[in-house]
Amino acid sequence: MPAQAGRWGRFSEHQARQLQRQVQAKEERIVELEMENAVLHLRLAQCRGMTGEAGSAAAGLCPRCLEQDPPRRSTPPAAPQLHRRVQKLKQDIKALRASSLAAFRACWEHLQDGLSAVEAAVQGAQLCHQALLAWQSKVGQLERSLQEADARYQLEKQKRRVLHNRLVELKGNIRVHCRIRPLLPFDKEFGDPASQDSSVPAGVVHAIDDETVLVKCAQPAHPLINKTYNFERVYGPEESQQVVFGDVCPLLTSLIDGYNVCIMAYGQTGCGKSYTMLGPHSKEERIPPWGPHSDLGIMPRAAAELFRLIAENPSRRLQVDLSIVEVYNNNIFDLLAKARGMAASGCRREALTTKDARREVPLLTREPVHSAEDFVALAARSLRLRAELATLVHARSSRSHLIITATLTRGPAAGGSPADQQAERPPLEGRPASGSRGGASCGRAPAGSPGAQQPKEQVHAKLQLVDLAGSECAGVSGVTGSALRETSFINRSLAALADVLGALSERRGHIPYRNSQLTHFLQDVLGGDAKLLVMLCVSPCRKHVAETLRCLGFGARARQVQRGQASGGSPAPRKPR
């Protein structure tokens, strides 16, 4: 309204000035015409004087002379024209005066209308100003309400973090899930009665309920096997990938809250570990190579959920760096360095323990990723370099333990209130927690410099996805030569892993982490304070019942390990003053 009133005022002033200029021009024209009229009157008087003199001279002559030569009346020929011009000028002056009066009246009327509009605009501006003051007062009230609501939200968010992680810890910082894969067509190749004879129950491993698995097997010349095992969650053969990830998803919330998380797949060769962790492998050279979205495994789903959670709260300014290694023949190989074309000797790494009992892996390459697509694409390129071999048990048997580590680091603060900075401070700051172990030696490596380090890096949390190589019996898999040597290393490293869990469950004074590069590399996960989820993958085939029982026994020992509470997150929320 004030702007409209201003426009009306400017319009009225402009029109008034224009009309004033027109009136001034008319008045100047009137003055010119009056001067011209005066000049014409003067000429008319001169002409009349000349006419009078001529008449006087004629009157002085004698009558006889007048009779003989009468005087001629000499009328100036220009007098009628001047008379007509004078009359015309008078008419023009009259018309000019009339038009000037009309223009003046119109200007006055416009001026009155403009003044009325200005008065109305001023009144409207006053009303708008009053309304603006009322809205400003209301905005101030809303801002104060928003600040109060934000303070309550921050408090409730901290309470939610505490309650969520207490719930996760009540389920156990080491949780064991069991997944039974379905019978597949290639199981018939091993002559398994459960897959060939319809009279024999399909499989020897059954999910009794969501927490109980039953192994029931009767073989000729063998004792009857009828054992049950209890785990935090048991998935039957019909359970989908989405259902499995649904129980993993809460751990990613804890990861964002600052808790280290590890998800490990354990089991025999061909029991579905890689399918569970990565999804079905496609023969096509494409990215990602894991089939349709419905079959995606834990790794691509976790990447999508991780970046979704990061995007929900951009004030955290979390950055994700990825490192991918494989433990092959008891050696650690950096697959990201290998993907850059480095020789095998150039990408070999070794887990070391420092004087302050921190585990470090010098020169380990870490690549920054900015989206789930980058995460999956980088993993896909590296996984094509993973050692694999076709055996009688599995056409694509993994010959190495795969460990994908996503390190969340905190970028520079983006401002905010001190309360927000306190609520979002790095949880691992100022203490040598397991989440910070290896952080100094595993600095982010830019392109062309795999060993470069980032000083003053603040590690927020770590996510480790572990796809272990499958244990196998050499007689069943039919491997020989170098493949038999690979099998020996795989079984020994898995036995070392079982020994570590056994020592932890028995609370021995010495934990044999260094018996294998696998257990040494995973020392922070196994004996540290990370939230560990072990996904047991078992085959339902009767032929593999021995390996199935060994796998379930491993899971039972893992459940007995008791550790302290996982560290991470902000301190418990304090009541506002």
Side-chain angles (χ1 to χ4, degrees):
M1 290 300 293
Q4 186 176 2
R7 288 196 296 270
W8 275 106
R10 289 193 296 272
F11 174 76
S12 300
E13 292 177 1
H14 175 72
Q15 195 166 8
R17 287 195 298 269
Q18 186 176 4
L19 292 174
Q20 288 177 357
R21 286 195 296 269
Q22 291 180 0
V23 171
Q24 185 177 1
K26 297 292 184 180
E27 290 178 351
E28 291 175 356
R29 179 61 178 167
I30 290 172
V31 171
E32 292 176 359
L33 291 174
E34 288 180 349
M35 292 179 64
E36 188 175 354
N37 187 22
V39 171
L40 291 175
H41 276 290
L42 181 61
R43 288 182 181 180
L44 179 61
Q46 291 177 355
C47 291
R48 286 178 178 177
M50 293 174 61
T51 304
E53 291 177 358
S56 299
L61 294 176
C62 61
R64 187 180 296 176
C65 294
L66 292 173
E67 291 178 357
Q68 294 178 355
D69 188 11
R72 298 178 180 177
R73 183 174 294 176
S74 61
T75 302
Q81 295 179 0
L82 290 174
H83 182 69
R84 287 193 297 271
R85 289 186 64 184
V86 168
Q87 295 297 327
K88 188 175 182 303
L89 287 174
K90 289 181 178 180
Q91 294 175 359
D92 291 341
I93 291 172
K94 187 177 181 180
L96 180 61
R97 287 179 177 175
S99 62
S100 299
L101 290 175
F104 180 75
R105 291 192 188 96
C107 179
W108 180 258
E109 292 175 357
H110 283 295
L111 181 61
Q112 294 297 324
D113 294 340
L115 291 175
S116 300
V118 168
E119 291 178 358
V122 169
Q123 294 177 358
Q126 291 176 351
L127 295 176
C128 290
H129 180 67
Q130 295 175 359
L132 178 62
L133 293 177
W135 280 109
Q136 287 178 346
S137 176
K138 191 171 183 179
V139 167
Q141 295 176 0
L142 291 175
E143 287 180 349
R144 289 190 294 270
S145 300
L146 180 61
Q147 291 175 356
E148 294 174 359
D150 184 66
R152 290 195 301 269
Y153 167 72
Q154 295 295 337
L155 183 62
E156 293 298 327
K157 185 171 69 171
Q158 293 181 9
K159 291 181 179 179
R160 192 276 311 163
R161 293 173 61 182
V162 173
L163 293 176
H164 169 79
N165 290 287
R166 283 180 183 173
L167 176 61
V168 173
E169 288 165 3
L170 287 175
K171 295 180 179 179
N173 284 332
I174 294 183
R175 285 182 285 167
V176 181
H177 294 188
C178 178
R179 189 179 194 187
I180 306 171
R181 75 158 173 82
L183 287 168
L184 300 176
F186 70 80
D187 291 328
K188 298 179 181 180
E189 300 177 4
F190 302 105
D192 189 64
S195 61
Q196 294 179 350
D197 189 357
S198 59
S199 62
V200 178
V204 298
V205 184
H206 309 278
I208 302 301
D209 53 37
D210 289 346
E211 298 180 354
T212 308
V213 60
L214 169 65
V215 181
K216 188 174 183 179
C217 178
Q219 296 186 21
H222 289 82
L224 175 65
I225 300 176
N226 192 358
K227 291 187 177 182
T228 59
Y229 296 87
N230 293 320
F231 301 106
E232 281 75 19
R233 185 70 164 86
V234 175
Y235 306 97
E238 70 283 353
E239 300 282 4
S240 65
Q241 296 275 66
Q242 184 176 1
V243 172
V244 174
F245 181 73
D247 294 324
V248 175
C249 196
L251 293 176
L252 298 177
T253 303
S254 296
L255 175 72
I256 294 297
D257 289 340
Y259 292 79
N260 299 320
V261 174
C262 176
I263 304 168
M264 178 187 302
Y266 180 94
Q268 181 194 2
T269 297
C271 62
K273 298 184 304 301
S274 295
Y275 175 82
T276 300
M277 295 299 296
L278 308 175
H281 195 285
S282 174
K283 295 182 180 180
E284 301 178 6
E285 292 296 325
R286 59 191 179 92
I287 299 176
W290 294 296
H293 179 74
S294 60
D295 289 336
L296 291 179
I298 291 176
M299 188 274 289
R301 292 176 186 268
E305 179 67 12
L306 172 61
F307 281 96
R308 187 190 70 81
L309 293 173
I310 292 176
E312 282 186 351
N313 190 358
S315 62
R316 295 178 185 267
R317 300 183 64 85
L318 295 179
Q319 303 172 1
V320 182
D321 298 332
L322 201 64
S323 64
I324 304 175
V325 302
E326 67 171 353
V327 181
Y328 176 68
N329 288 348
N330 204 33
N331 290 311
I332 299 174
F333 291 95
D334 189 343
L335 290 184
L336 293 182
K338 193 174 181 181
R340 293 176 176 174
M342 299 180 64
S345 58
C347 60
R348 182 179 296 178
R349 305 288 181 257
E350 185 177 359
L352 302 176
T353 302
T354 62
K355 295 181 180 179
D356 53 354
R358 293 172 51 190
R359 194 266 301 164
E360 294 183 352
V361 183
L363 305 179
L364 184 61
T365 305
R366 276 171 42 187
E367 292 280 356
V369 290
H370 306 288
S371 66
E373 291 76 12
D374 294 344
F375 190 111
V376 174
L378 187 61
R381 288 196 297 268
S382 300
L383 290 179
R384 293 196 181 100
L385 304 175
R386 187 182 182 186
E388 294 181 344
L389 178 69
T391 66
L392 296 179
V393 179
H394 198 304
R396 302 183 68 97
S397 176
S398 300
R399 315 308 291 172
S400 65
H401 308 293
L402 175 70
I403 304 172
I404 301 175
T405 304
T407 304
L408 275 64
T409 56
R410 185 178 297 275
S417 63
D420 295 339
Q421 295 177 1
Q422 173 68 17
E424 301 295 340
R425 70 178 181 86
L428 305 178
E429 184 180 1
R431 64 175 183 87
S434 62
S436 61
R437 294 170 187 168
S441 62
C442 300
R444 183 187 308 166
S449 179
Q453 299 181 6
Q454 280 285 352
K456 299 182 181 179
E457 184 183 63
Q458 295 178 338
V459 177
H460 180 74
K462 287 186 179 182
L463 170 66
Q464 286 188 304
L465 304 173
V466 183
D467 181 19
L468 297 174
S471 60
E472 61 185 24
C473 177
V476 175
S477 61
V479 293
T480 58
S482 60
L484 181 60
R485 182 171 177 267
E486 293 172 349
T487 300
S488 175
F489 277 113
I490 292 173
N491 291 337
R492 276 189 285 176
S493 61
L494 293 176
L497 179 60
D499 291 341
V500 167
L501 291 178
L504 289 171
S505 63
E506 297 172 5
R507 298 191 176 185
R508 301 177 195 167
H510 171 69
I511 310 299
Y513 291 115
R514 300 189 188 184
N515 286 358
S516 170
Q517 286 287 351
L518 173 66
T519 54
H520 199 184
F521 189 89
L522 297 177
Q523 177 177 348
D524 297 340
V525 176
L526 301 174
D529 54 9
K531 296 181 184 294
L532 173 62
L533 171 61
V534 180
M535 184 71 67
L536 304 178
C537 297
V538 297
S539 168
C541 297
R542 185 187 305 272
K543 188 177 184 65
H544 305 306
V545 67
E547 290 292 337
T548 298
L549 291 173
R550 189 176 296 111
C551 177
L552 296 175
F554 172 87
R557 286 193 299 273
R559 289 193 70 196
Q560 297 174 2
V561 177
Q562 296 181 0
R563 302 186 304 183
Q565 284 189 343
S567 299
S570 298
R574 295 178 295 179
K575 295 182 179 180
R577 297 179 180 177

